[in-house]
Amino acid sequence: MTKLSKLTLSVHAGSEGDPRFKGTVTPIYPSSAYDYEDMPATVYPRYFNTPNQQAVIEKMVALEGGEDGLVFSSGLAAIMTSLFAFLKSGDHVVFQNDLYGGTYYAVTHEFQRLGINYSMVDGSKPESFEKAIQPETKVIYVETPSNPTLKITDLRAVASIASKHKLLTIIDNTFASPVNQNPISLGIDVVTHSGTKYIGGHSDICCGVMVSSKKFTQQIRATAINFGGSPDPHQCYLIERSLKTLVLRVQQQNKNALALAEYLKRHPKVDRVYYPGLTDHPGHDVAKAQMPGGFGGMLSFEVKGDAHAFMGKLKLIKRALSLGGVESTMCSPVRTSHAKMSADERKKIDVKDNLVRFSVGIEDVEDLKRDIGQALI
Ligand SMILES: *Cc1c(COP(=O)(O)O)cnc(C)c1O
């Protein structure tokens, strides 16, 4: 059969319907106890192999272009389990320095105490990863586009450095979503997502996903079984349902975000716009080469004046911490995702007090422009 498009895969992959009554959708299988005889593997929720977990994984594996994967109860569970599966005391990891706030906090508070060392480097300069490699380095970890200033890391360049030094690469692909960027096709080993964002897409599910080869997934599964962090069947059913519209939603978000980035760039009350789809964004060419689906629904901008006051005047766009929902939301990174970072640390990654992070939804773009316009006065 010819390769199916992502629009088709998002609807059909992994969703085999109801084998007993021939219904269209995957039934919810709430069992936590399964017969262990005559089964290919023992089924148990914390073994990450129940039917509803499996349906989500098959869809995600098809959309990311991997071989196998796991679904978790949060994005951080997916990220930390994937990292710890390959690390032990004495090892070293190279991270890019503008990590998602929660990941940054987890690394800076858990790694050193466990004897795992790390360096943080400028993700927009591939050579900085190579310079930071030590004899004990095991993993390179990247996130692109990054949060909140949408810096672009060249994934092909990082994958080639890693393969030269025989290192494993892990990416947080949350911002791009599998619609816009498939890191495995660019040579990255393990893809992780906070499914709480685009994968869930309706601001009502917390989950995480990892996708990789069979071999690496097996290694992560072994650690995941010990750490827990498995999602329940009802949650998995909602994720599967959400994934059916992932491609449609993200396509609309890509379109809206590009139009709004251009609108904001022209606006006299806006100082600076960060969006990889703008041709003057320093990572634009790399983004174009590695994000064939689009540049994503996330952008940031600096307002002239008080960001908090601006957000208070919005009528349609909601103020919210999370992102990736069908509804447009904005937040101040200084007050939310990066609140735990010191002012000095924030300065290094361009997170200013007047920065607004914008998660563009699927609404009519003209309505969104009008809302921003009236709030910027
Ligand atoms: C939200 C987020 C996470 C963490 O995911 P949770 O589901 O909150 O655990 C990690 N990375 C990025 C880029 C995120 O936006």
Side-chain angles (χ1 to χ4, degrees):
M1 203 154 123
T2 51
K3 205 170 169 300
L4 297 172
S5 100
K6 283 185 190 173
L7 268 168
T8 309
L9 290 171
S10 65
V11 177
H12 292 287
S15 298
E16 285 169 15
D18 169 3
R20 190 167 169 210
F21 297 105
K22 311 288 178 210
T24 307
V25 303
T26 310
I28 297 170
Y29 294 91
S31 294
S32 61
Y34 287 83
D35 189 357
Y36 51 84
E37 295 290 346
D38 302 322
M39 296 286 284
T42 306
V43 178
Y44 187 64
R46 190 171 40 74
Y47 295 171
F48 297 82
N49 60 358
T50 61
N52 292 104
Q53 291 168 341
Q54 219 40 52
V56 171
I57 278 311
E58 281 175 35
K59 217 183 265 305
M60 279 300 298
V61 164
L63 291 170
E64 276 294 6
E67 290 175 356
D68 202 358
L70 299 168
V71 56
F72 290 86
S73 55
S74 75
L76 223 41
I79 292 166
M80 287 300 138
T81 307
S82 299
L83 276 163
F84 283 128
F86 299 98
L87 297 172
K88 61 177 190 322
S89 169
D91 286 345
H92 174 262
V93 186
V94 184
F95 289 95
Q96 69 180 59
N97 60 10
D98 49 351
L99 293 173
Y100 169 74
T103 308
Y104 180 88
Y105 191 75
V107 169
T108 51
H109 286 77
E110 305 293 344
F111 274 50
Q112 217 124 43
R113 153 179 103 71
L114 298 170
I116 302 166
N117 299 311
Y118 56 85
S119 307
M120 292 202 177
V121 304
D122 182 349
S124 57
K125 298 193 182 81
E127 64 278 11
S128 64
F129 289 95
E130 189 153 33
K131 278 194 207 125
I133 293 171
Q134 305 176 2
E136 295 77 26
T137 305
K138 293 283 156 40
V139 174
I140 297 181
Y141 180 99
V142 296
E143 187 183 322
T144 180
S146 74
N147 179 48
T149 55
L150 290 303
K151 285 198 188 116
I152 299 295
T153 303
D154 185 335
L155 294 178
R156 286 186 181 89
V158 169
S160 111
I161 291 165
S163 106
K164 188 168 128 200
H165 295 270
K166 302 201 166 31
L167 305 176
L168 185 92
T169 44
I170 304 180
I171 185 172
D172 179 338
N173 203 30
T174 302
F175 268 36
S177 92
V179 181
N180 294 330
Q181 177 172 274
N182 293 131
I184 293 170
S185 72
L186 307 167
I188 299 296
D189 297 310
V190 178
V191 178
T192 64
H193 283 278
S194 169
T196 314
K197 315 298 163 53
Y198 289 100
I199 289 166
H202 298 71
S203 309
D204 58 2
I205 310 172
C206 183
C207 67
V209 172
M210 63 84 18
V211 175
S212 185
S213 63
K214 281 204 167 74
K215 183 178 133 209
F216 290 141
T217 303
Q218 202 39 44
Q219 188 164 345
I220 296 167
R221 184 192 300 275
T223 296
I225 288 171
N226 296 331
F227 281 12
S230 47
D232 81 82
H234 302 86
Q235 190 180 2
C236 287
Y237 177 73
L238 279 178
I239 306 166
E240 183 194 341
R241 180 180 154 141
S242 293
L243 279 171
K244 292 179 185 178
T245 56
L246 176 74
V247 181
L248 274 184
R249 285 187 275 113
V250 171
Q251 283 175 345
Q252 172 76 357
Q253 283 159 321
N254 287 342
K255 235 182 352 188
N256 279 356
L258 182 60
L260 288 163
E262 280 161 357
Y263 166 79
L264 286 164
K265 214 181 132 195
R266 285 191 306 266
H267 202 289
K269 289 277 166 62
V270 172
D271 265 342
R272 197 164 165 190
V273 182
Y274 299 91
Y275 185 64
L278 294 175
T279 51
D280 63 356
H281 183 285
H284 176 71
D285 291 339
V286 176
K288 209 171 155 185
Q290 68 189 22
M291 301 177 76
F295 299 101
M298 294 300 300
L299 62 95
S300 306
F301 58 99
E302 290 166 6
V303 292
K304 285 201 172 105
D306 186 347
H308 189 63
F310 156 71
M311 275 185 276
K313 285 192 263 175
L314 294 166
K315 296 192 167 102
L316 195 61
I317 300 167
K318 290 188 165 71
R319 191 170 55 212
L321 166 67
S322 196
L323 61 100
V326 289
E327 60 288 285
S328 290
T329 60
M330 288 189 185
C331 80
S332 153
V334 175
R335 286 173 178 253
T336 57
S337 57
H338 291 63
K340 286 175 179 160
M341 232 180 234
S342 73
D344 249 14
E345 287 167 331
R346 282 200 297 257
K347 212 169 146 192
K348 276 191 226 153
I349 54 167
D350 290 331
V351 177
K352 295 194 186 151
D353 288 351
N354 63 341
L355 186 73
V356 176
R357 190 186 73 182
F358 188 0
S359 170
V360 179
I362 64 169
E363 301 95 333
D364 189 296
V365 72
E366 296 305 322
D367 291 333
L368 296 174
K369 279 185 201 166
R370 268 192 293 275
D371 194 27
I372 295 166
Q374 62 83 24
L376 274 174
I377 295 165

